[in-house]
Amino acid sequence: QKEVEQNSGPLSVPEGAIASLNCTYSDRGSQSFFWYRQYSGKSPELIMSIYSNGDKEDGRFTAQLNKASQYVSLLIRDSQPSDSATYLCAVLKGGNNRKLIWGLGTSLAVNP
Amino acid sequence: KAGVTQTPRYLIKTRGQQVTLSCSPISGHRSVSWYQQTPGQGLQFLFEYFSETQRNKGNFPGRFSGRQFSNSRSEMNVSTLELGDSALYLCASSLGGAGLNIQYFGAGTRLSVL
């Protein structure tokens, strides 16, 4: 089992729809969770960070964290073609060796 | 404020050679992390440097090494290059330890080993 798992996709949604991206992790001691977006040929850029259970909203983006079920999700409302990218989930492991563990990413395609 | 700068952007090397990549973090950032990204393996953590000390290390062979200078600039070296080392190498900087603060990525160095 990978430490951080994401569906590779591609996830295809029509313009204006809600895109739902999911990420599960194995380390129960994980403390911080991040969503990055990576356009083809570019480097990852941070979209959201979340640290506590519940929802965190920023514009069209909402991150949801459920530590008991060990999953974190990202919702993109009113999806735009410019949202087409790979979305990477990153999890900060707990303990002494604190480092970010990355999922392989979910490819999202928003169709006009 | 300037972002994370990686040089060179592209490199072509042959098997057996060695290569050095450079990363200049955002001003004021003291932590630099290095990653290897390939289509099949995703982002793989190489190592993190903080205040000139390697603080974390991933599961890569000893051919991969790095260092950080007093101005927080970092270099990564790969010796005895193998075909499988072809990848995008990304550097990320943050204020403190990796993961304790948001990581900001450079544009990357694309290495091709022939």
Side-chain angles (χ1 to χ4, degrees), chain A:
Chain A
Q1 180 191 8
K2 290 188 184 294
E3 294 183 273
V4 176
E5 294 205 63
Q6 299 180 251
N7 289 327
S8 61
L11 173 65
S12 183
V13 300
E15 184 175 355
I18 296 175
S20 178
L21 305 161
N22 298 313
C23 171
T24 58
Y25 59 95
S26 60
D27 181 12
R28 284 194 170 275
S30 298
Q31 304 169 3
S32 306
F33 307 85
F34 306 87
W35 283 101
Y36 281 77
R37 176 177 62 198
Q38 186 173 23
Y39 291 112
S40 180
K42 302 292 186 182
S43 57
E45 56 180 343
L46 180 75
I47 300 175
M48 298 276 294
S49 59
I50 186 166
Y51 308 100
S52 306
N53 279 328
D55 295 359
K56 180 180 178 182
E57 186 174 318
D58 184 359
R60 295 186 296 112
F61 298 94
T62 299
Q64 300 174 318
L65 175 62
N66 184 322
K67 290 186 178 181
S69 299
Q70 294 175 247
Y71 82 80
V72 56
S73 63
L74 180 70
L75 300 178
I76 306 175
R77 291 182 300 282
D78 188 24
S79 295
Q80 301 297 309
S82 59
D83 294 326
S84 298
T86 296
Y87 289 80
L88 300 167
C89 171
V91 176
L92 176 64
K93 289 185 68 172
N96 294 329
N97 191 16
R98 295 161 60 88
K99 61 182 179 182
L100 278 176
I101 307 298
W102 295 79
L104 293 181
T106 298
S107 175
L108 172 66
V110 180
N111 305 306

